[in-house]
Amino acid sequence: MQLELSAEDAAFRDEMRTFFTTEVPQEIRDAVANRRELTKDQIVESQRVLNAHGLAVPNWPVEWGGKDWSPLRRHIWHEEMQRADVPAPLAFNASMIGPVIAHFGSQEIKERFLPATANLDIWWSQGFSEPDAGSDLASLRTTAVRDGDEFVVNGQKTWTTLGQYGDWIFTLVRTDPDVKKQAGISMLLIDMTSPGLTVRPIELIDGGHEVNEVWFEDVRVPAGNLVGELNSGWTQAKFLLGNERVGVAPVGGTKRVLAQAKDWARETGQLDDPLTSSRIAELENELLALELTALRVVAHSADGKPHPASSVLKLKGTELQQAVSELVVDLAGPASLATGAGDDSDLPWWSRRATPAYLNLRKASIYGGSNEVQRQIIAKTILGL
Ligand SMILES: Cc1cc2nc3c(=O)[nH]c(=O)nc-3n(C[C@H](O)[C@H](O)[C@H](O)COP(=O)(O)OP(=O)(O)OC[C@H]3O[C@@H](n4cnc5c(N)ncnc54)[C@H](O)[C@@H]3O)c2cc1C
């Protein structure tokens, strides 16, 4: 998008551009550019570089490391970060539990967790979904029963992304089984090294290890680890999920892959095909419209609370992300199936990674609340149906 920037905002953009392209290690940026999986150490290192310069959590309140930036500057920060192939700060920390603690947590919880969360000294996992509570999250059955100064937690969470790296898990638990289901939920912060807590990998069809089950068997959690009031967890969950939806709509990342795809189409002579070039132009237009929506969502988010249009962003953003991954498979043609070929192969690297990336991204329309559920939210809260 070509925005008419004021001289001050243009200087800010240049400052961000210089920072992201000079301070974050090149090998981390290369891994992002070449769509390679980042190691835990690379994700931590990158976030610490950002945090050391006050650029990891600009969306947080200023007293906890946030920036009092205009929505446009937040957009520029995000754009330049993605443009430079810098990994975004870990979403579980920066856009999920951090804002929740800053908004709902006691002073003691804020002091204890926020600095370590911004610096990724603590790697957070998200303990919301259960085998029978995904879209219908309020049906969750993991219980927390008060016993003196502690809660005793029993139950199971599932689909816990990168739970194998997790130090702590923000967990929705049932603290009152006798009221309307939304009214009996609380949020507890749980140390993942606690006795009785087990993380079990879910092996994916491609052999990858991205998600896990987390089991709780009489896990004792200090009562002081409750976020906000007892039984107010549903309010915090809705707040967090709205922010998660904004975070999972990868506008900048999709733009970057589409720009790469256009280069690949040019290199392979396919850009001369009117069907291919119009398909690319259509995707570019749709991404531009999405980008404007993203700016509107940021502009209308008040006090860390997401705008209802975050559901539009999540829905459309993930649809476009999947559409671009499909385009890359088509551009690669039969080479997209040559996933076993090594780096010494004559086939270009991007074509060999096309099908795994396409298949992996099927998840995007499910996580963060499935796209069918986003349509329901849009129908109710935006269209008033
Ligand atoms: C890769 C990945 C990573 C994830 N990471 C995490 C994580 O770190 N932490 C965490 O807590 N959770 C995580 N999740 C879980 C995710 O939030 C749930 O998968 C999601 O909310 C859907 O729930 P479900 O899988 O139980 O499907 P279900 O709720 O059983 O839905 C099954 C199908 O029915 C449709 N459906 C359900 N209800 C409705 C309705 N009312 N109207 C129309 N259609 C409906 C859904 O759209 C879906 O297509 C992750 C999921 C994935 C795929």
Side-chain angles (χ1 to χ4, degrees):
M1 178 166 46
Q2 293 301 315
L3 286 168
E4 196 63 53
L5 296 180
S6 67
E8 293 79 22
D9 285 333
F12 174 80
R13 182 200 53 202
D14 293 346
E15 186 194 327
M16 291 296 115
R17 194 166 290 181
T18 306
F19 170 78
F20 287 128
T21 50
T22 55
E23 298 289 336
V24 178
Q26 185 69 44
E27 56 160 342
I28 295 180
R29 299 173 46 223
D30 285 346
V32 174
N34 295 330
R35 304 169 95 185
R36 283 198 300 271
E37 213 169 288
L38 295 174
T39 64
K40 178 183 180 182
D41 286 348
Q42 287 176 319
I43 295 170
V44 171
E45 184 181 353
S46 174
Q47 182 155 335
R48 289 192 181 154
V49 172
L50 265 56
N51 196 43
H53 293 79
L55 294 175
V57 289
N59 52 320
W60 290 14
V62 172
E63 62 173 314
W64 297 108
K67 297 278 188 194
D68 201 9
W69 284 340
S70 64
L72 179 60
R73 287 202 175 188
R74 263 167 69 180
H75 179 76
I76 293 172
W77 166 80
H78 199 244
E79 275 282 299
E80 291 302 323
M81 183 165 61
Q82 298 207 321
R83 189 174 184 274
D85 298 316
V86 170
L90 187 69
F92 303 114
N93 289 37
S95 49
M96 295 196 210
I97 193 61
V100 168
I101 291 178
H103 197 83
F104 298 98
S106 63
Q107 186 64 18
E108 195 249 317
I109 284 212
K110 288 178 190 171
E111 285 172 11
R112 189 167 156 213
F113 289 108
L114 286 179
T117 298
N119 203 42
L120 205 34
D121 298 335
I122 295 174
W123 183 298
W124 285 98
S125 291
Q126 180 185 23
F128 279 21
S129 305
E130 298 182 4
D132 293 318
S135 302
D136 184 15
L137 184 58
S139 293
L140 62 92
R141 290 192 300 214
T142 295
T143 55
V145 177
R146 186 76 186 243
D147 181 24
D149 288 342
E150 295 175 320
F151 286 99
V152 181
V153 179
N154 279 285
Q156 184 205 343
K157 296 292 172 181
T158 193
W159 305 122
T160 317
T161 300
L162 301 181
Q164 67 270 35
Y165 299 155
D167 299 307
W168 284 73
I169 180 164
F170 48 91
T171 312
L172 291 180
V173 289
R174 186 155 301 287
T175 35
D176 188 344
D178 299 322
V179 292
K180 187 176 161 236
K181 52 189 184 178
Q182 286 83 355
I185 293 171
S186 300
M187 188 185 286
L188 276 182
L189 307 179
I190 305 180
D191 182 343
M192 293 183 78
T193 60
S194 306
L197 190 154
T198 313
V199 179
R200 294 186 192 152
I202 298 175
E203 194 178 327
L204 299 180
I205 200 165
D206 65 356
H209 180 191
E210 200 174 309
V211 283
N212 302 268
E213 297 175 344
V214 180
W215 293 78
F216 302 87
E217 283 171 309
D218 291 330
V219 175
R220 302 194 77 88
V221 181
N225 290 8
L226 183 71
V227 182
E229 300 292 315
L230 188 70
N231 297 323
S232 68
W234 192 245
T235 304
Q236 293 146 24
K238 283 192 295 185
F239 178 97
L240 184 147
L241 288 170
N243 282 324
E244 179 179 0
R245 280 172 204 136
V246 178
V248 294
V251 183
T254 307
K255 256 174 75 177
R256 193 188 59 231
V257 180
L258 183 59
Q260 285 178 318
K262 199 170 174 177
D263 288 342
W264 299 330
R266 192 174 292 113
E267 283 163 20
T268 52
Q270 296 180 77
L271 203 56
D272 299 333
D273 171 13
L275 283 179
T276 301
S277 57
S278 68
R279 185 173 168 190
I280 291 175
E282 214 162 287
L283 286 167
E284 284 174 336
N285 285 338
E286 290 210 52
L287 268 168
L288 177 58
L290 183 68
E291 204 171 4
L292 292 169
T293 307
L295 254 177
R296 214 170 55 227
V297 170
V298 175
H300 291 96
S301 300
D303 199 15
K305 288 189 199 135
H307 187 261
S310 59
S311 290
V312 177
L313 211 54
K314 195 275 164 174
L315 171 64
K316 199 66 198 162
T318 52
E319 280 182 355
L320 285 175
Q321 189 182 26
Q322 293 181 337
V324 171
S325 74
E326 199 174 326
L327 168 74
V328 176
V329 170
D330 289 343
L331 291 175
S336 76
L337 294 173
T339 55
D343 285 338
D344 53 352
S345 161
D346 288 340
L347 298 171
W349 67 266
W350 60 268
S351 63
R352 290 180 274 122
R353 294 208 187 119
T355 292
Y358 165 84
L359 291 174
N360 187 276
L361 280 175
R362 300 302 93 194
K363 67 189 176 188
S365 42
I366 300 172
Y367 60 39
S370 77
N371 284 8
E372 289 78 14
V373 168
Q374 300 315 312
R375 285 193 177 89
Q376 305 253 15
I377 295 172
I378 292 164
K380 209 167 138 194
T381 63
I382 300 180
L383 303 177
L385 298 173

